[in-house]
Amino acid sequence: MFLSGDGAEQIRATFLNMYALDQTLEGDDAAAKGIAEPLNYVLKPQREGGGSNVYFDDVREKLIELQDSNERSSYSMQERIFPLITTNYFICPGNLDELKPIEVVNEMGIFGAFVRTRGEVILNSVPGHYMRCKKADMGEGSMLLGYAACGSPWLH
């Protein structure tokens, strides 16, 4: 039911690195990476709700601001995803007269369900997926806050 060895390593290779930004040598090293190459990372606050991630040159500014503060540990830093840019339409109430193709990126999320008790796997399934689409030059991708829109994959 679980992969090990080469299969696990192949899947692990598809994941991006995440870095803790606590006030340790490892946190300092991670912050230095973000300051040196801010376009390659995203800062994520340890809270829910969306709209609070830090992107682009703001990564450098935020890390410098938090350099000697314990508040830095309330963020994690993730390697940035560079998805394929495609062309699509955003259809929103009130913009039908302005409808034109724009550059977008798409993200497909896979929902997983896993339940285990006392070492016995009760449920391990993929109950669904979602697709979201956002303008290619946007960092934030929250549908709830209006930065992205629901999409649907064209599978053929």
Side-chain angles (χ1 to χ4, degrees):
M1 182 160 261
F2 297 100
L3 290 175
S4 60
D6 289 342
E9 285 303 316
Q10 288 175 343
I11 289 175
R12 191 174 291 119
T14 68
F15 286 74
L16 296 172
N17 288 319
M18 296 283 291
Y19 301 92
L21 292 170
D22 49 4
Q23 295 293 336
T24 63
L25 288 176
E26 292 86 3
D28 291 344
D29 288 345
K33 286 181 184 184
I35 290 168
E37 299 180 75
L39 300 181
N40 291 330
Y41 299 97
V42 176
L43 294 182
K44 297 180 168 241
Q46 301 300 312
R47 63 187 193 106
E48 292 296 325
S52 301
N53 291 343
V54 180
Y55 296 91
F56 312 122
D57 286 327
D58 293 342
V59 169
R60 175 186 293 121
E61 293 172 24
K62 189 68 166 176
L63 287 170
I64 290 171
E65 173 190 327
L66 298 174
Q67 200 157 4
D68 296 318
S69 169
N70 285 332
E71 185 185 348
R72 188 178 79 182
S73 64
S74 68
Y75 288 83
S76 60
M77 188 172 75
Q78 174 190 305
E79 289 179 344
R80 190 169 147 227
I81 300 168
F82 293 94
L84 176 69
I85 296 175
T86 60
T87 302
N88 206 339
Y89 295 85
F90 266 32
I91 301 172
C92 302
N95 84 334
L96 294 180
D97 295 335
E98 305 166 11
L99 200 56
K100 61 182 185 237
I102 59 172
E103 289 188 330
V104 299
V105 293
N106 296 286
E107 176 183 291
M108 183 175 203
I110 305 296
F111 295 111
F114 184 82
V115 179
R116 182 179 89 172
T117 181
R118 296 188 184 110
E120 179 187 358
V121 175
I122 307 297
L123 175 70
N124 187 3
S125 69
V126 178
H129 67 274
Y130 73 93
M131 178 70 75
R132 70 178 173 186
C133 179
K134 67 180 183 178
K135 292 180 181 178
D137 60 356
M138 287 291 298
E140 195 60 57
S142 170
M143 287 189 289
L144 180 66
L145 297 175
Y147 297 116
C150 289
S152 58
W154 178 33
L155 305 174
H156 60 94

